[in-house]
Amino acid sequence: MLPALTPQEQRHSEAVAAAIRAALDAAGGWLSFERFMELALYAPGLGYYSAGAVKLGSGGDFVTAPEMSALFGRCLALQCAPLLAATGGEILELGAGTGALAETLLLALDAQGAVPRRYSILEVSADLAARQRARLGTLAPHLRERIVWLEELPRAALEGLILANEVADALPVRRFTLHRGALQELGVALASDGSLMHATRPPDARLVEACRALLGDRTGGLPEGYTSEVSLRLAPWIAALAASLGRGVLLLIDYGLPRSHYYHPQRSAGTLRCHFRQRAHDDPLINLGLQDITAWVDFTRVAEAATDAGLEVSGFATQAGFLSGLGIERLVAAAPDAVTRARLAGEARRLLMPEEMGEAFKVMALTRGHAAPLGGFGLQDLRRLL
Ligand SMILES: C[S@@+](CC[C@H](N)C(=O)[O-])C[C@H]1O[C@@H](n2cnc3c(N)ncnc32)[C@H](O)[C@@H]1O
């Protein structure tokens, strides 16, 4: 059971539904799931990320690793410091949420005497960018003055680190389903009572080509009704990020799997999930504009896109492997007192345990012109699975 909407939330959701109905009318009665997801998450002033919902943190709909514990950012800082010294010393964070990771990273790097030359943030949500400004505006002037918000990816090649935690899973995806052995695209249409419903239509050439690349000839081995998703935006996004990276590392952290696990016959309902007030469910057509909609990341697709864009896949690990490799246990053990140590130990468990974030989240490092070993990938490397 999901919590009931307040009257104000109900009104907001109806306004988002009206915008989606108008888009359906304009498009002849059917929208791809990608377009629906784009409207539900990013329609100006209405979408989940564009409007004022709390979104992240314990009072919101879901908790990300940097929201859960500063240990996450402090571990990352251990990796960043040598990287910043070896490159041009810049960080670009994509989709910085509430600014939690930026704050922790800057404080931890400052403590190591390794403050980045510049810390840029590219954020598509005006609401979250405003919250980032308010939060990061309280940092000491020597840190605050290094932070800039970008409207688009930098034109001049960045030297340092590009970082994206839980951003790739927020890119709108196309959905497909197998019906009587044939591929169908799953989108959204209007039911006779005016509500939104899932509806199929024959896939267009781009989706057919993408599915062929994912599934090969395996559609015959997949069960009837098999439904999954594919991000056609992922490869262009990686290519754009690669074009912005002169020398250094692009670090992607997200829920995700190598392709053979992602499109396994037993994963017959795909990975699409919605998050509403700390509950995960699988109905994207309710709570419009009030809930997050995500799909896991096909890391094989990321690796292929990165390689095509001239980057090297330099590391792939579970979040647990990555944080352990960076020494999260040492950070916990170094806590100044027993109470703090117990709290940090609890937070570390949530970041590391397989049934929490440890296994579902993966970390991929994509590099250009940076041959030095990367902290965090020493203990584990899943590249063979890609
Ligand atoms: C799930 S939240 C994660 C926030 C933060 N990184 C964290 O870990 O707490 C997704 C974030 O990505 C942003 N976002 C979505 N698509 C984006 C894009 N194409 N470029 C930059 N930011 C994006 C959202 O507005 C939001 O800040």
Side-chain angles (χ1 to χ4, degrees):
M1 281 288 284
L2 294 172
L5 303 186
T6 64
Q8 192 191 358
E9 287 173 333
Q10 191 72 46
R11 280 194 296 280
H12 182 77
S13 190
E14 279 160 16
V16 179
I20 292 172
R21 270 190 221 105
L24 274 165
D25 277 349
W30 187 90
L31 290 177
S32 69
F33 191 82
E34 179 185 76
R35 180 69 184 131
F36 163 80
M37 185 168 165
E38 182 171 49
L39 290 168
L41 295 184
Y42 304 109
L46 291 173
Y48 178 71
Y49 281 107
S50 317
V54 176
K55 302 184 257 289
L56 293 96
S58 54
D61 302 297
F62 59 97
V63 180
T64 61
E67 295 288 332
M68 184 185 293
S69 175
L71 284 171
F72 182 79
R74 288 174 60 202
C75 280
L76 271 181
L78 295 172
Q79 192 197 53
C80 288
L83 174 69
L84 293 175
T87 60
E90 277 194 66
I91 296 179
L92 164 61
E93 186 182 353
L94 303 159
T98 63
L101 180 57
E103 181 179 62
T104 309
L105 261 181
L106 283 165
L107 291 172
L109 287 169
D110 192 24
Q112 294 178 53
V115 179
R117 199 161 57 75
R118 185 163 45 199
Y119 195 108
S120 309
I121 294 177
L122 177 60
E123 172 58 69
V124 292
S125 159
D127 173 57
L128 287 173
R131 284 192 233 171
Q132 292 156 17
R133 284 178 201 276
R135 179 177 193 152
L136 301 173
T138 63
L139 290 173
H142 73 286
L143 299 177
R144 205 166 62 205
E145 69 195 12
R146 307 203 177 208
I147 309 172
V148 290
W149 277 265
L150 308 178
E151 295 298 325
E152 56 184 30
L153 284 170
R155 287 176 204 279
L158 181 142
E159 306 244 321
L161 175 71
I162 303 181
L163 191 58
N165 186 62
E166 283 206 50
V167 181
D169 73 329
L171 297 177
V173 291
R174 304 276 286 268
R175 295 184 87 192
F176 60 87
T177 188
L178 277 181
H179 181 58
R180 298 193 182 144
L183 190 69
Q184 292 284 303
E185 178 163 9
L186 195 54
V188 175
L190 276 186
S192 52
D193 66 357
S195 61
L196 299 180
M197 64 173 198
H198 297 288
T200 57
R201 76 170 195 188
D204 63 13
R206 279 189 76 209
L207 186 61
V208 170
E209 191 193 333
C211 288
R212 193 171 297 129
L214 302 178
L215 306 170
D217 298 329
R218 286 197 300 127
T219 45
L222 296 174
E224 172 68 12
Y226 177 92
T227 299
S228 193
E229 53 283 324
V230 56
S231 174
L232 299 186
R233 299 193 178 187
L234 192 58
W237 185 65
I238 296 289
L241 298 179
S244 295
L245 184 66
R247 188 164 56 101
V249 179
L250 165 57
L251 201 65
L252 297 182
I253 308 166
D254 230 306
Y255 300 97
L257 292 164
R259 182 170 299 154
S260 55
H261 296 207
Y262 197 119
Y263 297 103
H264 193 280
Q266 283 174 359
R267 197 175 296 281
S268 58
T271 68
L272 194 90
R273 297 298 272 162
C274 305
H275 298 270
F276 181 64
R277 299 210 199 132
Q278 310 299 333
R279 284 153 175 97
H281 68 92
D282 56 11
D283 189 353
L285 303 187
I286 62 168
N287 297 342
L288 296 167
L290 299 170
Q291 65 183 11
D292 194 18
I293 307 173
T294 72
W296 285 28
V297 174
D298 169 3
F299 274 101
T300 307
R301 193 173 191 82
V302 174
E304 287 168 354
T307 309
D308 288 348
L311 299 181
E312 194 171 325
V313 182
S314 297
F316 183 42
T318 61
Q319 177 169 294
F322 179 70
L323 296 178
S324 299
L326 286 171
I328 190 170
E329 284 87 359
R330 283 196 298 281
L331 292 181
V332 174
D337 56 71
V339 174
T340 312
R341 199 169 310 119
R343 175 177 58 78
L344 291 181
E347 293 173 5
R349 267 197 299 281
R350 292 191 67 191
L351 293 171
L352 299 176
M353 295 299 282
E355 61 278 20
E356 300 264 358
M357 301 180 96
E359 296 280 325
F361 279 81
K362 310 289 188 301
V363 185
M364 181 171 272
L366 306 166
T367 58
R368 191 194 312 274
H370 182 75
L374 290 169
F377 297 99
L379 298 178
Q380 186 192 36
D381 199 331
L382 304 179
R383 273 182 286 178
R384 70 188 187 287
L385 297 177
L386 292 170

Coordinates of all heavy atoms in Angstrom, one line a residue, residues 41-42 48-50 55-56 62-67 72 93-101 122-126 128-129 132 163-172 237 253 255 292 294, ligand 1:
L41 N 9.2 13.2 -15.4 CA 10.3 13.6 -14.6 C 10.8 15.0 -14.8 O 11.2 15.7 -13.9 CB 11.5 12.6 -14.8 CG 11.4 11.2 -14.4 CD1 12.7 10.4 -14.6 CD2 10.9 11.0 -13.0
Y42 N 10.7 15.5 -16.1 CA 11.4 16.7 -16.4 C 10.5 17.8 -17.0 O 11.0 18.9 -17.4 CB 12.6 16.5 -17.3 CG 13.5 15.4 -16.7 CD1 13.7 14.2 -17.2 CD2 14.3 15.8 -15.6 CE1 14.5 13.2 -16.7 CE2 15.2 14.8 -15.0 CZ 15.3 13.6 -15.6 OH 16.1 12.6 -15.0
Y48 N 8.8 15.5 -11.9 CA 9.3 15.1 -10.6 C 10.5 15.9 -10.3 O 10.6 16.5 -9.2 CB 9.5 13.6 -10.5 CG 10.1 13.2 -9.2 CD1 9.3 13.1 -8.1 CD2 11.4 12.7 -9.1 CE1 9.8 12.7 -6.9 CE2 11.9 12.3 -7.9 CZ 11.1 12.3 -6.8 OH 11.6 11.9 -5.6
Y49 N 11.5 15.9 -11.2 CA 12.7 16.6 -10.9 C 12.6 18.1 -11.0 O 13.4 18.9 -10.5 CB 13.9 16.1 -11.7 CG 14.4 14.8 -11.2 CD1 14.2 13.6 -11.8 CD2 15.1 14.8 -10.0 CE1 14.6 12.4 -11.2 CE2 15.5 13.6 -9.4 CZ 15.3 12.4 -10.0 OH 15.7 11.2 -9.5
S50 N 11.7 18.6 -11.9 CA 11.6 20.0 -12.1 C 10.8 20.8 -11.1 O 11.0 21.9 -10.8 CB 10.9 20.3 -13.5 OG 11.4 19.4 -14.4
K55 N 12.0 14.9 -2.8 CA 12.8 13.9 -3.6 C 13.8 13.1 -2.8 O 13.5 12.0 -2.4 CB 13.5 14.6 -4.7 CG 12.5 15.4 -5.7 CD 13.2 15.9 -6.9 CE 13.5 17.4 -6.8 NZ 12.3 18.2 -7.0
L56 N 15.0 13.7 -2.5 CA 16.0 12.9 -1.9 C 16.1 13.0 -0.4 O 15.7 14.0 0.1 CB 17.4 13.3 -2.5 CG 17.6 13.0 -3.9 CD1 17.3 14.3 -4.8 CD2 19.0 12.6 -4.2
F62 N 13.5 8.6 -1.8 CA 14.5 7.6 -1.8 C 15.8 8.2 -1.3 O 15.9 9.4 -1.2 CB 14.8 7.1 -3.3 CG 15.2 8.2 -4.2 CD1 16.5 8.4 -4.5 CD2 14.2 9.0 -4.8 CE1 16.8 9.4 -5.4 CE2 14.5 10.0 -5.7 CZ 15.9 10.2 -6.0
V63 N 16.7 7.3 -0.8 CA 18.0 7.8 -0.2 C 19.1 7.3 -1.1 O 19.2 6.1 -1.4 CB 18.1 7.2 1.2 CG1 19.4 7.7 1.8 CG2 16.9 7.7 2.1
T64 N 19.9 8.2 -1.6 CA 21.1 7.8 -2.4 C 22.3 7.6 -1.4 O 22.3 8.1 -0.2 CB 21.5 8.9 -3.4 OG1 21.8 10.1 -2.7 CG2 20.3 9.2 -4.3
A65 N 23.4 7.1 -1.9 CA 24.6 6.8 -1.1 C 25.1 8.1 -0.4 O 25.4 8.1 0.8 CB 25.6 6.1 -1.9
P66 N 25.3 9.2 -1.1 CA 25.8 10.4 -0.5 C 24.8 11.0 0.6 O 25.2 11.6 1.5 CB 26.0 11.4 -1.6 CG 25.7 10.7 -2.9 CD 25.1 9.4 -2.6
E67 N 23.5 10.7 0.4 CA 22.5 11.1 1.4 C 22.6 10.2 2.6 O 22.4 10.7 3.7 CB 21.1 11.0 0.8 CG 20.8 11.9 -0.3 CD 20.7 13.4 0.1 OE1 20.3 13.7 1.2 OE2 21.0 14.2 -0.8
F72 N 30.6 7.7 2.0 CA 30.7 7.6 0.5 C 31.6 8.6 -0.1 O 32.5 8.3 -0.8 CB 29.2 7.6 0.0 CG 29.1 7.4 -1.5 CD1 29.2 6.1 -2.0 CD2 28.9 8.5 -2.4 CE1 29.0 5.9 -3.4 CE2 28.8 8.3 -3.7 CZ 28.9 7.0 -4.2
E93 N 30.6 17.6 -11.4 CA 29.6 16.6 -11.0 C 28.3 16.8 -11.7 O 27.8 17.9 -11.9 CB 29.3 16.8 -9.4 CG 28.4 15.7 -9.0 CD 28.0 15.8 -7.5 OE1 28.5 16.6 -6.7 OE2 27.1 15.0 -7.1
L94 N 27.7 15.7 -12.3 CA 26.5 15.8 -13.0 C 25.3 15.4 -12.0 O 25.5 14.5 -11.2 CB 26.5 14.8 -14.1 CG 27.7 15.0 -15.1 CD1 28.0 13.7 -15.9 CD2 27.4 16.1 -16.0
G95 N 24.2 16.1 -12.1 CA 23.1 15.8 -11.3 C 23.4 15.7 -9.8 O 23.4 14.6 -9.2
A96 N 23.7 16.8 -9.2 CA 24.3 16.8 -7.8 C 23.2 16.7 -6.7 O 23.6 16.8 -5.6 CB 25.2 18.0 -7.6
G97 N 22.0 16.4 -7.1 CA 20.9 16.2 -6.1 C 20.9 17.4 -5.1 O 20.7 18.5 -5.5
T98 N 21.0 17.1 -3.8 CA 20.9 18.1 -2.8 C 22.2 18.8 -2.5 O 22.3 19.7 -1.7 CB 20.4 17.5 -1.4 OG1 21.4 16.6 -1.0 CG2 19.1 16.8 -1.5
G99 N 23.3 18.3 -3.2 CA 24.6 18.9 -3.0 C 25.4 18.2 -1.9 O 26.5 18.6 -1.5
A100 N 24.8 17.0 -1.4 CA 25.5 16.3 -0.3 C 26.9 15.8 -0.7 O 27.8 16.0 0.1 CB 24.6 15.1 0.1
L101 N 27.0 15.2 -1.9 CA 28.3 14.7 -2.3 C 29.3 15.8 -2.5 O 30.5 15.7 -2.1 CB 28.1 13.8 -3.6 CG 29.4 13.2 -4.1 CD1 30.0 12.3 -3.0 CD2 29.1 12.4 -5.3
L122 N 26.6 20.4 -13.2 CA 25.6 20.5 -14.2 C 24.4 19.8 -13.8 O 24.4 18.6 -13.5 CB 26.2 19.8 -15.5 CG 25.2 19.8 -16.7 CD1 24.8 21.2 -17.1 CD2 25.9 19.1 -17.9
E123 N 23.3 20.5 -13.6 CA 22.1 20.0 -13.0 C 20.9 20.4 -13.8 O 20.7 21.6 -14.1 CB 22.0 20.6 -11.6 CG 20.7 20.3 -10.9 CD 20.4 18.8 -10.7 OE1 21.1 18.2 -10.0 OE2 19.5 18.3 -11.4
V124 N 20.1 19.4 -14.2 CA 19.0 19.8 -15.1 C 17.8 20.3 -14.3 O 16.9 21.0 -14.9 CB 18.5 18.6 -16.0 CG1 19.5 18.2 -17.0 CG2 18.1 17.4 -15.1
S125 N 17.7 20.1 -13.0 CA 16.6 20.5 -12.2 C 16.9 21.8 -11.6 O 17.8 22.0 -10.7 CB 16.3 19.4 -11.1 OG 15.6 20.0 -10.1
A126 N 16.1 22.8 -11.9 CA 16.3 24.2 -11.4 C 16.0 24.1 -9.9 O 16.7 24.8 -9.1 CB 15.3 25.2 -12.0
L128 N 16.5 21.5 -7.8 CA 17.7 21.0 -7.0 C 18.9 21.9 -7.1 O 19.6 22.0 -6.1 CB 18.0 19.6 -7.6 CG 17.0 18.5 -7.2 CD1 17.3 17.2 -7.9 CD2 17.0 18.3 -5.7
A129 N 19.0 22.6 -8.2 CA 20.2 23.5 -8.3 C 20.0 24.6 -7.3 O 21.0 25.0 -6.7 CB 20.2 24.1 -9.7
Q132 N 21.1 23.2 -4.1 CA 22.6 23.0 -4.0 C 23.2 24.3 -3.7 O 24.1 24.4 -2.9 CB 23.1 22.5 -5.4 CG 22.7 21.1 -5.7 CD 22.6 20.8 -7.2 OE1 23.2 21.6 -8.0 NE2 22.0 19.7 -7.6
L163 N 31.9 13.1 -12.6 CA 31.3 12.2 -11.6 C 29.8 12.2 -11.8 O 29.2 13.3 -11.9 CB 31.7 12.8 -10.2 CG 31.5 12.1 -9.0 CD1 32.2 10.8 -9.0 CD2 32.0 12.9 -7.8
A164 N 29.2 11.0 -11.8 CA 27.8 11.0 -11.9 C 27.3 9.8 -11.0 O 27.4 8.7 -11.4 CB 27.3 10.8 -13.3
N165 N 26.7 10.2 -9.9 CA 26.1 9.1 -9.0 C 24.6 9.1 -9.2 O 23.9 10.2 -9.0 CB 26.4 9.4 -7.6 CG 25.9 8.3 -6.6 OD1 26.4 7.2 -6.8 ND2 25.0 8.6 -5.7
E166 N 24.0 8.0 -9.6 CA 22.6 7.9 -9.9 C 22.1 8.9 -10.8 O 21.0 9.6 -10.5 CB 21.8 7.9 -8.6 CG 21.9 6.6 -7.8 CD 20.7 6.4 -6.9 OE1 19.6 6.5 -7.3 OE2 21.0 6.1 -5.7
V167 N 22.7 9.1 -11.9 CA 22.2 10.0 -13.0 C 21.8 9.2 -14.2 O 20.7 9.4 -14.7 CB 23.2 11.1 -13.3 CG1 22.7 12.1 -14.4 CG2 23.7 11.9 -12.1
A168 N 22.6 8.3 -14.6 CA 22.3 7.5 -15.8 C 21.0 6.7 -15.6 O 20.3 6.6 -16.6 CB 23.4 6.5 -16.0
D169 N 20.6 6.4 -14.4 CA 19.4 5.6 -14.2 C 18.2 6.6 -14.3 O 17.0 6.1 -14.3 CB 19.4 4.9 -12.9 CG 19.2 5.8 -11.7 OD1 19.7 6.9 -11.7 OD2 18.6 5.4 -10.6
A170 N 18.4 7.9 -14.4 CA 17.3 8.8 -14.5 C 17.1 9.3 -15.9 O 16.3 10.1 -16.2 CB 17.6 10.0 -13.6
L171 N 17.9 8.7 -16.9 CA 17.7 9.0 -18.3 C 16.5 8.3 -18.8 O 16.4 7.0 -18.6 CB 18.9 8.6 -19.1 CG 20.3 9.3 -18.8 CD1 21.4 8.7 -19.7 CD2 20.2 10.8 -19.0
P172 N 15.6 8.9 -19.5 CA 14.4 8.2 -20.0 C 14.7 7.0 -20.9 O 15.7 7.1 -21.7 CB 13.6 9.3 -20.8 CG 14.1 10.6 -20.1 CD 15.5 10.4 -19.8
W237 N 24.8 10.3 -24.5 CA 25.2 11.0 -23.3 C 26.7 10.7 -22.9 O 27.4 11.6 -22.7 CB 24.3 10.5 -22.1 CG 24.4 11.2 -20.8 CD1 24.1 12.5 -20.5 CD2 24.8 10.6 -19.6 NE1 24.4 12.7 -19.2 CE2 24.8 11.6 -18.6 CE3 25.2 9.3 -19.2 CZ2 25.1 11.3 -17.2 CZ3 25.6 9.0 -17.9 CH2 25.5 10.1 -16.9
I253 N 28.4 5.8 -11.2 CA 28.0 5.0 -10.1 C 26.5 4.8 -10.2 O 25.8 5.9 -10.3 CB 28.4 5.5 -8.8 CG1 29.9 5.9 -8.8 CG2 28.0 4.6 -7.6 CD1 30.3 6.8 -7.6
Y255 N 22.8 1.9 -10.1 CA 22.2 0.5 -10.1 C 22.5 0.0 -11.5 O 22.3 0.7 -12.5 CB 20.7 0.6 -10.2 CG 19.9 1.2 -9.1 CD1 19.4 2.5 -9.2 CD2 19.5 0.4 -8.0 CE1 18.6 3.0 -8.2 CE2 18.7 1.0 -7.0 CZ 18.3 2.2 -7.1 OH 17.5 2.8 -6.2
D292 N 9.8 9.2 -8.3 CA 10.9 9.0 -9.2 C 10.6 7.7 -10.1 O 9.9 6.8 -9.6 CB 12.2 8.8 -8.4 CG 13.4 8.9 -9.2 OD1 13.3 9.5 -10.3 OD2 14.5 8.5 -8.8
T294 N 12.9 5.1 -12.5 CA 14.3 4.8 -12.8 C 14.4 3.4 -13.5 O 13.5 2.6 -13.4 CB 15.2 4.7 -11.6 OG1 14.9 3.4 -10.9 CG2 15.0 5.8 -10.6
Ligands
LIG1 C1 18.6 10.2 -8.4 S1 19.1 11.8 -8.4 C2 20.8 11.7 -7.8 C3 21.3 12.9 -7.1 C4 22.7 12.8 -6.5 N1 23.7 12.5 -7.6 C5 22.8 11.8 -5.4 O1 23.5 10.8 -5.6 O2 22.3 12.1 -4.3 C6 19.4 12.2 -10.1 C7 20.0 13.6 -10.3 O3 20.3 13.7 -11.7 C8 19.8 14.9 -12.2 N2 19.8 14.7 -13.7 C9 18.9 13.9 -14.4 N3 19.3 13.9 -15.7 C10 20.4 14.7 -15.8 C11 21.2 15.1 -16.9 N4 21.0 14.6 -18.1 N5 22.3 15.9 -16.6 C12 22.5 16.3 -15.4 N6 21.7 16.0 -14.3 C13 20.7 15.2 -14.5 C14 18.5 15.1 -11.4 O4 18.0 16.4 -11.5 C15 19.0 14.7 -10.0 O5 19.8 15.8 -9.5

